[in-house]
Amino acid sequence: MKRETIAPASIQFFSLAQLYVSDLNPRQDADPEGIDLLADNLAMIGLIQNLSGILDGEGRVGIVAGGRRLRAIARAVERDATVTERHPELASIPVRIAPDEATARAWASAENAAREDLAPADEIRAYGRMKEAGADVSAIARSFGKTEAHVYRRLALAALPAPVLDALKEGQISLGMAKAFTVSQDEALTLTVLAEVKGRDVSEHRIKQALQPAAVSATDRRARFVGLDAYEAAGGSLTRDLFSDTVALHDADLLQDLFTERLNAEAGKLAAGWKWAEVMADDYVSYSVTEKLARLYPVEGDLTEEQAERYDELAELANADALDEAGQAELEAVDAIIKGDFTDAQRAVAGYYVYVSHSGTVQLSGPWVRTEDRAAAIEAEVLTGHAAHADGGDAAPAPKSPYSGALVE
């Protein structure tokens, strides 16, 4: 088969007035809004891709690939003539010149068919260059036709050390792995972890753990209990992951101090009036702590005959969904009498364990009578019957429960 030899193309420079969109260009129509967005982009970062065209008999150049760029250059210059001072390539425009019409036609078809979005690493760096040139997020979003949220996430990646983006461009790490590196606050550690994961299939979670070995998740019960606002107000530092909506707290000692301080304060309020309140560090109270203690229960109240009749009437209305707000309040008041309350005598000999559950909420376990208060509880007739005769200190251990203390609680 005979092969046609095509002369190498040359790059030449032309003024805007010398250029026009060739009939060979398959994209004869352009969306005005899209041209405006591209003009914004060119005004920010200049022309980063040459145009391609063919010389005509009058010494002008018909653009066969890059018609949108040509229109956007014209729009940018029309809006602001000084743009060519910041970006000289918009005044003297580089054009790759085809040696003949066949080559020009092939270029036009090839660029149209092969057009695709920027590779992630190139897009990230393009956003970064626009930001360095003074563009805000809104302008970058308009220029690329993306949402502002997308731009924020890409700019977070643009702030990564260059070797991370190089590894992304070369396919040595995935985009997801690159996102994981945005949680790092230590460039040296970033490069160390990068060297360990390049070319390997490593999860984003493992990368984040390696980059933040001492960080505490905002889902930790201590963080939930203290609250991020209180933690930051006390000077604590944290990072928010734009890609997973997770938050990492970096001052673990400060978090623990705030947790302990608030838990002690809550314990004092919740157990006010009782003999004691003890704070537990775990997220549950173990059975081994309470197995030899005596638990107290509210002393039920007695209803008068009139209150009992009224309670029945209110209960019937409640069952029929015919109870108004005032009736509901009355029913709850009578019900509280039935359920009873703890007496002053009980409060004088018993107390609560106070702890924070896995969900970050304060919980009470009790009230319990300790072994050393058993005699006083018996004397005050708080413990009677079997509870009074059982010797908590010398009693045989209760059979081991098949359930864990956490599950029991």
Side-chain angles (χ1 to χ4, degrees):
M1 176 184 291
K2 183 179 178 180
R3 296 179 181 271
E4 183 178 357
T5 301
I6 299 178
S10 62
I11 302 296
Q12 300 181 33
F13 296 84
F14 300 88
S15 68
L16 181 60
Q18 293 175 281
L19 307 179
Y20 63 93
V21 178
S22 169
D23 292 338
L24 299 178
N25 193 311
R27 294 181 180 270
Q28 291 295 311
D29 298 321
D31 174 31
E33 184 177 353
I35 296 301
D36 286 339
L37 292 174
L38 184 52
D40 290 340
N41 186 297
L42 292 173
M44 288 291 179
I45 64 174
L47 182 66
I48 60 176
Q49 183 178 359
N50 296 334
L51 282 62
S52 299
I54 185 169
L55 283 164
D56 63 16
E58 299 176 0
R60 300 180 71 210
V61 179
I63 300 301
V64 298
R68 290 183 71 253
R69 275 166 276 156
L70 177 60
R71 294 182 180 94
I73 292 171
R75 185 69 56 81
V77 173
E78 178 185 352
R79 289 175 175 174
D80 178 11
T82 64
V83 71
T84 57
E85 297 175 7
R86 300 191 303 274
H87 303 293
E89 71 277 9
L90 301 183
S92 182
I93 303 167
V95 182
R96 185 175 60 155
I97 300 299
D100 51 50
E101 183 175 327
T103 302
R105 192 180 299 277
W107 284 356
S109 299
E111 177 162 304
N112 182 60
R115 179 175 293 173
E116 59 183 18
D117 292 336
L118 286 172
D122 294 332
E123 180 190 8
I124 291 163
R125 281 178 162 144
Y127 289 10
R129 286 193 295 270
M130 287 192 71
K131 183 181 179 182
E132 290 174 0
D136 59 17
V137 170
S138 178
I140 298 172
R142 289 197 308 270
S143 297
F144 284 86
K146 302 293 185 180
T147 65
E148 292 190 8
H150 177 81
V151 174
Y152 274 116
R153 290 190 288 267
R154 285 295 192 257
L155 287 176
L157 289 163
L160 290 171
V164 179
L165 295 181
D166 291 340
L168 173 62
K169 185 172 179 62
E170 294 165 8
Q172 295 176 313
I173 62 172
S174 67
L175 180 58
M177 294 168 70
K179 291 176 180 178
F181 279 95
T182 61
V183 306
S184 178
Q185 296 181 314
D186 184 335
E187 182 171 343
L189 180 58
T190 294
L191 298 180
T192 298
V193 174
L194 176 65
E196 295 172 353
V197 303
K198 279 197 301 187
R200 299 174 54 199
D201 184 16
V202 180
S203 72
E204 297 174 37
H205 178 67
R206 284 186 58 190
I207 292 174
K208 290 177 182 178
Q209 283 186 319
L211 293 169
Q212 297 181 322
V216 178
S217 171
T219 60
D220 184 279
R221 69 189 181 98
R222 295 170 298 169
R224 288 176 170 175
F225 178 59
V226 171
L228 297 185
D229 290 342
Y231 170 78
E232 287 189 283
S237 65
L238 54 79
T239 54
R240 289 179 169 83
D241 188 345
L242 291 176
F243 301 97
S244 63
D245 295 326
T246 59
V247 179
L249 288 68
H250 301 290
D251 296 324
D253 291 340
L254 173 62
L255 176 63
Q256 183 61 46
D257 289 344
L258 293 173
F259 173 80
T260 302
E261 180 182 348
R262 184 181 171 192
L263 182 54
N264 285 330
E266 291 293 322
K269 290 188 294 184
L270 294 172
W274 292 87
K275 181 175 182 181
W276 56 269
E278 182 175 338
V279 169
M280 304 297 288
D282 294 328
D283 58 357
Y284 68 96
V285 179
S286 170
Y287 174 70
S288 63
V289 173
T290 61
E291 63 178 333
K292 293 185 178 181
L293 306 184
R295 186 160 196 163
L296 301 183
Y297 297 92
V299 176
E300 296 181 1
D302 294 324
L303 297 181
T304 65
E305 186 176 342
E306 181 180 353
Q307 287 174 323
E309 292 177 357
R310 181 55 177 164
Y311 180 82
D312 292 339
E313 293 174 4
L314 294 170
E316 288 181 8
L317 291 172
N319 291 333
D321 292 328
L323 198 61
D324 59 17
E325 186 175 342
Q328 181 64 38
E330 186 180 358
L331 177 60
E332 291 175 359
V334 178
D335 192 47
I337 296 174
I338 297 174
K339 292 180 178 178
D341 195 3
F342 294 101
T343 66
D344 291 340
Q346 288 176 312
R347 296 174 188 275
V349 294
Y352 283 93
Y353 291 107
V354 186
Y355 62 98
V356 173
S357 70
H358 180 72
S359 64
T361 58
V362 179
Q363 303 291 329
L364 294 174
S365 173
W368 301 100
V369 175
R370 288 172 165 168
T371 303
E372 59 267 29
D373 296 318
R374 180 178 292 275
I378 294 173
E379 183 179 351
E381 297 185 347
V382 167
L383 292 180
T384 58
H386 174 73
H389 293 295
D391 185 353
D394 300 326
K400 186 176 181 180
S401 171
Y403 307 110
S404 69
L407 180 59
V408 170
E409 286 298 325

